[in-house]
């Protein structure tokens, strides 16, 4: 509906992102708990969640920090986890690239998996939206998620050790990641990249400071790209 | 962990992550990327996340790094439901229920 107002597009985006609160809330809660257990103060934990604002990488960083890994290794590993956002950024730039710089600068700060996914789906389904309508939809899709991430982190800090061990919260992170990864297995290339990543990470688990994960990621990306090329050539032949 | 160490990680990670997010959207705007770069970037998520999760699933800290049947089954169920339904919430709920049922049933913690 190209004639609707930016305001209504904002609320369309908002509604589209609401279900993701179910995932963001326990994830943020767990970060608050784990960070506090690791010895971060309340202020540090909240600063971490608001400055980095990227759950998966925050967990990865925290895990290495507990092992006292050098800062460079912590940063390199966490940034590797966030590299997928360069892909999101590239793909969003096709749709939002003509917006004013200040809007793009703000939009970039809040790129998260879920908002990216619903926005791109909408932009591709309704390609005749104006740039203002697209930006409004995107802003709406991040609005429920961003504040909840911080509220959940704060609640996790507050509840802390009050969560009993039988709840096995340690496993919420693997379960959350597995649930996010599973729908990504769209093509043979995606699957082989994921299998490569798992095998390399397990084989190289003995390397210090998670270096194995970085190597595994680079090898897996190349495998994905090569399989895609091979599949294209086969499809063309 | 010293305060300086913690703040250094938070600050550098914050700036670095922002630069990654800003990269294409901020600097390149609407221009196109070379196909080889897109081809590699497309697999970033599936190249990093599975490798990050695999050791956590096989050798969980909670059991001192021993393979745990409850956690392993929960992981398989989560992934299986996620692949079949493509529904993140359904996958998380089924995985969580499996984990709690097995922890209770097997008497593990």
């Amino acid at each position: 509906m190209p004639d609707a107002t930016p305001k209504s597009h904002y609320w369309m985006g908002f509604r589209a992102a609401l279900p993701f609160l179910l995932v963001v809330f326990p994830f943020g809660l767990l970060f608050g708990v784990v960070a506090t257990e690791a010895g971060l103060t309340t202020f540090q934990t909240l600063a971490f969640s608001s400055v980095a604002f990227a759950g998966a990488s925050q967990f990865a960083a925290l895990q290495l920090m507990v092992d006292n890994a050098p800062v460079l290794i912590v940063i390199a590993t966490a940034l590797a986890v966030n590299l997928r956002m360069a892909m999101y950024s590239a793909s969003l730039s096709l749709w939002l690239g003509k917006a004013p710089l200040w809007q793009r600068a703000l939009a970039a700060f809040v790129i998260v998996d879920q908002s990216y996914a619903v926005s791109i789906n909408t932009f591709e389904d309704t390609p005749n939206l104006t740039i203002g309508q697209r930006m409004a939809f995107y802003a709406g899709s991040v609005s429920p998620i961003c504040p909840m991430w911080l509220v959940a982190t704060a609640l996790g800090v507050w509840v802390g050790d009050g969560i009993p061990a039988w709840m096995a919260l340690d496993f919420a992170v693997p379960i959350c990641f597995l649930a996010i990864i599973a729908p990504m297995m769209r093509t043979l290339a995606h699957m082989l990249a994921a299998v490569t990543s798992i095998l390399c990470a397990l084989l190289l688990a003995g390397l210090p400071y998670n270096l194995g994960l970085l190597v595994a990621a680079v090898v897996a990306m190349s495998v994905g790209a090569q399989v895609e090329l091979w599949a294209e050539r086969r499809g063309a032949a | 962990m010293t305060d300086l160490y913690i703040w250094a990680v938070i600050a550098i990670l914050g700036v670095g992550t922002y630069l990654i997010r800003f990269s294409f959207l901020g600097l390149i705007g609407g221009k196109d990327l070379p196909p080889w770069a897109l081809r590699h970037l497309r697999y970033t998520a599936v190249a990093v996340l599975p490798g990050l999760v695999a050791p956590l699933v096989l050798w969980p800290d909670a059991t001192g790094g021993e393979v745990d049947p409850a956690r392993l089954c929960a992981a398989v169920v989560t992934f299986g439901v996620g692949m079949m339904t493509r529904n993140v919430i359904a996958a998380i709920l089924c995985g969580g229920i499996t984990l709690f049922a097995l922890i209770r049933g097997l008497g593990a913690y």
Side-chain angles (χ1 to χ4, degrees), chain B residues 35-68:
Chain B
W36 67 264
L38 279 177
R39 193 175 304 122
H40 280 81
L41 281 173
R42 241 194 301 281
Y43 299 97
T44 321
V46 286
V48 177
L49 295 176
L52 189 71
V53 173
L56 299 177
V57 169
L58 270 189
W59 309 308
D61 275 345
T63 58
E66 291 294 309
V67 175
D68 172 42

Side-chain angles (χ1 to χ4, degrees), chain A residues 38 44 52-53 63 69 82 84-86 89 93 104-105 108 111 167 170-171 177 183 189 197 201 213 221 225 228, chain B residues 1 3 5 7 17-18 21 24-26 29 33 39-40 42-44 46-47 51-53 56 71 79 86 89 100:
Chain A
Q44 284 165 340
F53 194 62
Q63 210 169 11
N82 285 342
R84 68 188 188 286
M85 292 179 187
S89 183
S93 73
R104 281 183 281 144
I111 292 177
M167 286 188 73
D170 65 281
F171 216 61
F177 280 157
S197 169
L213 176 60
M221 277 170 82
E228 182 186 311
Chain B
M1 259 195 268
D3 273 358
Y5 176 79
W7 284 117
T17 301
Y18 184 72
R21 283 173 161 139
F24 297 103
L25 185 57
L33 282 170
R39 193 175 304 122
H40 280 81
R42 241 194 301 281
Y43 299 97
T44 321
V46 286
L52 189 71
V53 173
L56 299 177
R71 285 176 171 79
F79 192 76
R86 309 205 161 248
I89 291 164
F100 288 134

Side-chain angles (χ1 to χ4, degrees), chain A residues 146-167:
Chain A
C146 299
M148 186 51 86
W149 175 242
L150 289 180
V151 170
T153 302
L155 207 62
V157 172
W158 183 60
V159 178
D161 291 340
I163 298 175
W166 61 261
M167 286 188 73

